Amino acid sequence: LGAVITSPSDAPMFRSMNLSVDYYNIKVTDAIGAQTPDSIQEKCFSTQFNPTLDPNSPYCAGVGRNAGNGVLGNLVGTYLNTGAIQTSCIDAQFNWRFPAGPGTVSVSSNFNYLLHMKSTPLAGAIPMVDYAGTLGGVGENGLDGGYYRWKLFSTLGYTINGIGLDLQWQHLPSIKSGTAAVNPATTFLC
């Protein structure tokens, strides 16, 4: 959902001014991601996926066992379509160009506010974790982590006869450790 607002003025100073605002809400089911050790064991030892807890279940194929005593051995993970992701965000962009002296000044600012960045490696098995504002979620469902609550990127430029000079600035606020998504009492900031 989005809107673009352009300047109603015909004055040279304000006619090239516009603002766009967009909202999105994306849900992905059966996300492709590498199995985590937790998700490999969860599927094998959960009655939701393996109701009889049969060690020969396809869900236990990645759980190695010691042939002599049956104790857990190495876990073998693969990529599966099992996870879920949900994210929602508000993006805004402001652009303004106006004549100044022999050239043109341009101002552009992009703002992003992350409402949610939820993920789970096993859809339906465990609740989704909201990683917004944290460094968490790395590797889960192919995610990279680093979900800043908000970001701002601005450019100020001046152009004369096709030659321009731009100054760019990116602001990222402090962000919590990835463990804060699961344990809100975590106070470590990055």
Side-chain angles (χ1 to χ4, degrees):
L1 176 67
V4 177
I5 303 165
T6 58
S7 174
S9 175
D10 285 334
M13 182 74 171
F14 300 107
R15 71 174 154 219
S16 293
M17 183 186 300
N18 66 56
L19 172 69
S20 68
V21 180
D22 297 294
Y23 165 80
Y24 63 83
N25 186 349
I26 299 170
K27 295 177 184 177
V28 178
T29 56
D30 293 331
I32 298 173
Q35 290 178 292
T36 63
D38 289 341
S39 68
I40 294 169
Q41 292 182 64
E42 170 109 22
K43 282 200 166 187
C44 181
F45 302 116
S46 167
T47 55
Q48 178 180 358
F49 295 101
N50 187 0
T52 62
L53 298 176
D54 178 7
N56 298 315
S57 163
Y59 292 115
C60 294
V63 178
R65 296 191 179 263
N66 183 311
N69 58 16
V71 173
L72 288 178
N74 292 334
L75 299 175
V76 179
T78 186
Y79 287 87
L80 295 175
N81 294 75
T82 61
I85 302 168
Q86 179 181 355
T87 185
S88 59
C89 185
I90 297 173
D91 289 330
Q93 181 172 351
F94 174 75
N95 295 309
W96 184 19
R97 293 174 47 93
F98 56 90
T104 303
V105 172
S106 61
V107 177
S108 176
S109 192
N110 297 301
F111 178 76
N112 173 275
Y113 187 81
L114 183 62
L115 299 167
H116 301 287
M117 184 57 192
K118 297 178 181 179
S119 177
T120 181
L122 295 171
I126 51 180
M128 294 184 94
V129 176
D130 191 353
Y131 292 106
T134 74
L135 291 170
V138 176
E140 188 173 294
N141 296 318
L143 301 175
D144 326 6
Y147 303 106
Y148 291 90
R149 183 60 81 177
W150 61 272
K151 298 184 259 186
L152 179 66
F153 184 77
S154 299
T155 304
L156 174 64
Y158 189 75
T159 305
I160 301 174
N161 297 326
I163 298 173
L165 178 65
D166 289 335
L167 174 64
Q168 296 182 330
W169 174 61
Q170 180 175 8
H171 182 79
L172 300 172
S174 63
I175 191 168
K176 293 181 181 179
S177 162
T179 58
V182 185
N183 180 5
T186 302
T187 58
F188 181 70
L189 296 176
C190 302

